[in-house]
Amino acid sequence: MTIVTGKAEARRRLQPGRSGVLRKIWEHRADYAYVLPAIAVMLIVIAYPIYYTIELSFFKTPPGLQLRDKIFIGFDNYTTILASRVFWKVTWNTLIWTLGSTFISFVLGFAAALALHRDFIGRGVLRAILIVPWVISAVAASYIWRWIYHSDFGIIGAVLVGLGLADRPPNFIDSVSTVLPSLIVVNIWREFPFAMIMMMAGLQTVPEQLLSAAKVDGASAWQRFWHVTFPHLRNVSTVTILLLAVANFNSFIIPWIMTGGGPSNASHIWITHIYELAFGRQLWGVASAYSVLLFLILMTLGYFYVRALSGNERKEGTA
Amino acid sequence: MTRITLGSAVLRGTVATALMASLMSTSALGAPPVDLSKWSPEYVRSIAGTQDFDTAADCAKVTPLDYKGRLTFWYQGVFEGDPDLLRQYYKEFFETFRKTYPNIQLEEQALTYNDLLDKFRTALLGNAAPMAVRLQILGGTEFASKGYLEPLKPEDVGYSTDDFWPGAMKAVTWEDVTYGIPTNNETMAFIWNADIFKRAGLDPDKPPATWDDVVKYSKQIHDKLGIAGYGLVARKNAGNTPYRFMPQLWAYGGGVFDEATANPTYKEVELNSPQSKAALQASYDMYVRDKSVPVSALTNQQADNQPLFLAGQLGMMISHPSDYDVMLDLQKKATGTDKDKAQTVIDNMRYGLIPTGPDGKRAVVFGGSNIHILKPEYVEGGKVDEPAAKAIICMWTSPEWSLKMAYAGSNPGNLNGFKTKWMKERLDNIEFLDVTTSMLPYGIPFPALPQSPEIMNIIVPDMLQNALTGAMTVDEAADDAAEKVKDLMGGL
């Protein structure tokens, strides 16, 4: 039999229900107090802009009026977007851009990480060199690549013509069919070092004794990779891919500086299109509706990212 | 270096002056400082250096020289395509202002042509605009119509409305109220490389007379020499594109609306008229059919054409007289044999009038910039130091500084600038100034509408890109652009 003192009973009564979220919050009240200032700041700089963007997406903002004189039009901006030919073109471009950049950056980064995981002379130097594209400014890189690709006097064109491999410089960024793949190449060049670093970190966690044991058991290099290394990297791979996908979905600098979304909208992706709608054409309402849709997509990706991270933590917790 | 003979062109220019005088006339035109009906290079030479001005004394009447205040100021400044000479004058202007008004704390910020509108619009949304701003000619009506600008007329800073180009005043006027003062106004000219012409079998001293000739010459240069004939520019969100395509569009008899007529109403969209389509077809013929222009035209600006021209890889282009100085600046940076090659190009650089359309119409964009004062509620801190703003506006739009700040590439917004000693000096120092002066009578202002920036910076370049990339046919591209303009105008 438990003897309940008056003090303990009073404490119990002060506490909310024994089960549920409130009880948990109460139990962690000190923790919440510590993060309260950060939450307050986030509410101001994140929550309010999100709310305002959602609100603005229901209004029309004609070029002859100030934003404060906006006109309520309900869901018209959303229906306008979905009925627009450009929307589908830009969405298709965004998918190609995101999937192409993410997948190839990951594969190249993973391959580079595997190669650099082994010990060899000059490994440190090579690591440093391969990280360079990731650390230099995206703006500077975009301008440099614009000149490399230049359709009349770019470096690649000059080399190809000089070697007699082409009659005239190839058209990389002034053609609707080649511009997007050309920009994806630049993006991959800039991003694969990130994937490489992530995967190199992941490779450090693969237990050496397991690989040795597999080797003793007669497993080939491929079998060791597939059955030992790769399963250990599943979570870090998921996180890396999700981070790359979110970054690519939100990517702005490379396509905007190199082509401004052109020619003929062939390299417009969502984020550059939103920028043009808002700041070039002042269609704040339409741009906001686009942003809301983009936000929902990114939140979905974010959900999977958090789930992948939580899965990681759970596994580590049970290990 | 051979100077081109303007002969008949000047004669035609004089005739066109009558048209311009009517095009640009306003009822306010009382006793203008210069007689626009007599406009010609000879007339400009005759008035240059005939009057002295004391800028500090004039501006002291507007804002006392010991006035204490603070001013935030954004301006469309020099960029990579401008000559060093212009950079020097900008530097000198701000130094002189600080010396003239030592107690005004000036916080200026230079922005490039292509960045200024976006940044300014964003700042306005957050009520974080500067107290005064110098905008490109396209921007005036947009911001005036939205109510961001304070009424401001030349008389407010000690000048007369008659001191400024009437056409330029239209660009700062919205619903009969004036919201700014022109700082500089310009018309461009046609530039060609005589040596390339000669090697391509063309008369080195005779520019193409019509746009159809431009298409033919461009092809001939490309076919004979394997280099680009004409420096087409079709980049989106770049001011260079409308400044080069609109003269072509107007010369063919087309237009976005009826802006090329004497009394534009801007009611009917004409981007898909047969004449407009003919102009677009000419660009298509050069880019797609003949492949006689830079492939990079879709991502290029004029600043990209300049090194191509200097390298002898481009036969013709449209630009300011300042391009001659830019070529000299670039040549100084070249080394070895490149330096000699560049010198050959400079020696063979010729300027002429922009070609006409099939019916003899000649046109050029009447460009420039304006200076404005913002309303306090849109300014960071909610206050505008009006005397300080008027001090800088008075100085910039003075005969002296409106000329100096436009020294190499433009013309003074204040017509009295043509009478200064610096104009006389400029006529001797700046090559080919006569040609662009001769083009002034053919100048057509962009439509004075709040929608103009979108039309000129996005819809027109989009039309070009859609046609030139094959994404649409010429007809489809023109129809699509016309539809976009109609939709845009259909809003409020």
Side-chain angles (χ1 to χ4, degrees), chain A:
Chain A
M1 190 177 170
T2 310
I3 300 166
V4 180
T5 65
K7 233 179 193 179
E9 176 59 19
R11 198 183 299 128
R12 195 185 63 77
R13 281 181 188 166
L14 275 173
Q15 288 174 357
R18 282 179 174 274
S19 60
V21 178
L22 283 177
R23 190 173 65 91
K24 283 183 180 172
I25 290 174
W26 178 255
E27 283 169 0
H28 292 277
R29 58 191 179 278
D31 304 337
Y32 283 109
Y34 292 135
V35 296
L36 197 63
I39 289 172
V41 171
M42 282 175 71
L43 280 174
I44 295 165
V45 300
I46 299 176
Y48 178 71
I50 290 172
Y51 157 75
Y52 188 58
T53 304
I54 294 169
E55 185 199 348
L56 209 52
S57 72
F58 298 113
F59 287 85
K60 186 178 184 178
T61 57
L65 293 181
Q66 283 191 28
L67 198 54
R68 64 182 179 195
D69 302 322
K70 58 191 184 291
I71 302 157
F72 182 77
I73 53 166
F75 283 93
D76 277 10
N77 286 328
Y78 291 93
T79 52
T80 304
I81 289 172
L82 294 173
S84 139
R85 198 180 47 192
V86 176
F87 167 77
W88 295 107
K89 185 175 183 176
V90 169
T91 302
W92 180 241
N93 287 348
T94 310
L95 282 174
I96 293 172
W97 165 267
T98 305
L99 295 177
S101 300
T102 304
F103 179 71
I104 302 173
S105 294
F106 176 74
V107 170
L108 281 181
F110 195 3
L114 285 171
L116 290 173
H117 188 58
R118 283 182 293 178
D119 205 9
F120 60 87
I121 296 168
R123 184 173 73 154
V125 176
L126 199 58
R127 267 184 190 173
I129 291 171
L130 286 176
I131 289 170
V132 168
W134 188 51
V135 295
I136 67 169
S137 145
V139 174
S142 302
Y143 277 110
I144 291 167
W145 274 96
R146 232 182 99 183
W147 283 101
I148 290 173
Y149 275 153
H150 199 282
S151 308
D152 292 297
F153 42 93
I155 296 165
I156 297 175
V159 169
L160 292 176
V161 172
L163 293 173
L165 296 172
D167 292 335
R168 54 185 302 163
N171 186 346
F172 289 109
I173 53 173
D174 290 284
S175 154
V176 286
S177 55
T178 55
V179 63
L180 198 56
S182 302
L183 296 189
I184 289 173
V185 167
V186 180
N187 200 33
I188 290 165
W189 168 83
R190 235 190 83 71
E191 270 188 346
F192 91 89
F194 168 74
M196 182 185 82
I197 291 168
M198 293 289 284
M199 299 313 288
M200 273 166 61
L203 283 168
Q204 313 280 334
T205 66
V206 179
E208 217 28 68
Q209 62 270 34
L210 269 182
L211 288 167
S212 303
K215 199 173 182 181
V216 169
D217 289 345
S220 66
W222 169 251
Q223 285 169 326
R224 290 199 301 277
F225 170 74
W226 190 247
H227 295 291
V228 180
T229 307
F230 193 66
H232 269 91
L233 296 176
R234 206 170 49 202
N235 286 323
V236 72
S237 299
T238 309
V239 170
T240 305
I241 288 169
L242 281 168
L243 285 176
L244 282 172
V246 170
N248 288 325
F249 226 103
N250 259 326
S251 196
F252 177 78
I253 297 173
I254 291 172
W256 186 254
I257 288 182
M258 289 187 67
T259 62
S264 196
N265 296 327
S267 62
H268 252 320
I269 55 176
W270 269 39
I271 205 85
T272 57
H273 190 50
I274 288 170
Y275 180 85
E276 185 178 287
L277 287 168
F279 296 95
R281 301 177 59 191
Q282 300 173 81
L283 297 171
W284 305 102
V286 180
S288 297
Y290 258 104
S291 301
V292 170
L293 295 175
L294 180 64
F295 175 71
L296 292 174
I297 293 168
L298 290 175
M299 284 297 284
T300 310
L301 284 173
Y303 166 76
F304 285 112
Y305 170 70
V306 171
R307 224 174 72 152
L309 278 182
S310 313
N312 243 351
E313 281 169 7
R314 271 198 302 274
K315 278 189 180 173
E316 278 164 14
T318 55

Side-chain angles (χ1 to χ4, degrees), chain A residues 63-68 71 85 146 150 152-153 168 171 174 263-265 275-276 279-282 284, chain B residues 118 121-122 125 142 146 148 236 294-296 298-300 308 378 454 458 465-466 469 471-472 492:
Chain A
L65 293 181
Q66 283 191 28
L67 198 54
R68 64 182 179 195
I71 302 157
R85 198 180 47 192
R146 232 182 99 183
H150 199 282
D152 292 297
F153 42 93
R168 54 185 302 163
N171 186 346
D174 290 284
S264 196
N265 296 327
Y275 180 85
E276 185 178 287
F279 296 95
R281 301 177 59 191
Q282 300 173 81
W284 305 102
Chain B
D118 288 3
R121 284 171 184 153
T122 312
L125 291 177
E142 175 187 329
K146 288 183 175 180
Y148 289 126
K236 202 153 92 166
V295 180
S296 52
L298 307 182
T299 39
N300 267 359
L308 265 183
Y378 305 111
E454 182 175 341
I458 296 177
Q465 292 200 349
N466 284 335
T469 56
M472 292 180 189
L492 290 177

Side-chain angles (χ1 to χ4, degrees), chain B residues 375-393:
Chain B
K375 284 186 178 166
E377 56 263 43
Y378 305 111
V379 171
E380 195 163 12
K383 281 182 189 166
V384 169
D385 189 332
E386 205 175 298
K390 283 184 176 171
I392 203 166
I393 292 171

